[in-house]
Amino acid sequence: MNSKTDDLLRQFELADAADRSVSTYSGGMHRRLDLAMSLMGNPPILFLDEPTTGLDPQSRIAVWEKIKDLVKDGRTVFLTTQYLEEAEQLADYIVILHKGKIIAEGTLEELKKRFPPAKVEYVEKQPTLEEIFFALVDGKEDAQ
């Protein structure tokens, strides 16, 4: 392997599995490998089609962080997703499609301004299942 390959395998936490057949990789590992391979030629523009579909919460967050890093490094990333939370977290500019037609586009702030303002209500916020998962996993990893 060359240094670029080694570097990408380390970045995507695949170095320990480098000598294994890709057919033995988990779904999350496949997604990370796809993203790593797309970066081999240092492309200035990336097209990512639902890069986090089927990933566990930790892998999903890791892919989000990598996408954010790519944008910080000056790359343009076109991302398709059905997860609206993902679009809110990652997109600078959003295009909403419905039945194959663009029905809205703009920044998140622009889109929010086009609709009625949020209502102010008192709601007791319970932790989400994702927050519970990370609290459990983070606690166990710290104990080891």
Side-chain angles (χ1 to χ4, degrees):
M1 281 189 253
N2 65 40
S3 62
K4 176 75 172 177
T5 303
D6 292 337
D7 182 48
L8 286 169
L9 289 173
R10 273 191 301 279
Q11 282 183 47
F12 288 92
E13 300 176 13
L14 295 168
D16 291 343
D19 60 344
R20 289 180 23 206
S21 170
V22 175
S23 64
T24 67
Y25 283 16
S26 69
M29 293 171 80
H30 275 279
R31 293 283 186 188
R32 292 195 316 267
L33 181 60
D34 289 343
L35 192 51
M37 289 188 317
S38 70
L39 296 172
M40 280 301 292
N42 283 330
I45 299 173
L46 287 170
F47 292 87
L48 303 177
D49 185 20
E50 300 190 14
T52 62
T53 298
L55 294 182
D56 62 81
Q58 289 173 307
S59 296
R60 191 171 121 225
I61 299 299
V63 169
W64 285 11
E65 292 306 317
K66 187 59 186 171
I67 291 169
K68 289 175 184 177
D69 289 344
L70 292 169
V71 171
K72 283 181 194 170
D73 289 344
R75 294 209 172 111
T76 299
V77 178
F78 287 91
L79 172 75
T80 63
T81 183
Q82 294 184 34
Y83 302 127
L84 300 181
E85 176 191 10
E86 190 164 85
E88 285 187 56
Q89 289 287 322
L90 298 174
D92 294 326
Y93 193 82
I94 299 168
V95 176
I96 300 174
L97 298 172
H98 181 67
K99 296 183 180 181
K101 297 193 186 279
I102 295 173
I103 59 171
E105 64 181 290
T107 65
L108 181 58
E109 289 72 31
E110 290 169 347
L111 292 172
K112 285 181 177 182
K113 286 178 186 175
R114 292 174 52 190
F115 297 93
K119 296 177 187 174
V120 177
E121 297 178 2
Y122 173 78
V123 177
E124 183 176 318
K125 184 182 179 303
Q126 295 293 319
T128 65
L129 185 56
E130 187 171 277
E131 290 168 333
I132 292 168
F133 171 82
F134 280 119
L136 290 169
V137 170
D138 289 342
K140 287 189 188 289
E141 289 175 357
D142 293 340
Q144 293 179 2

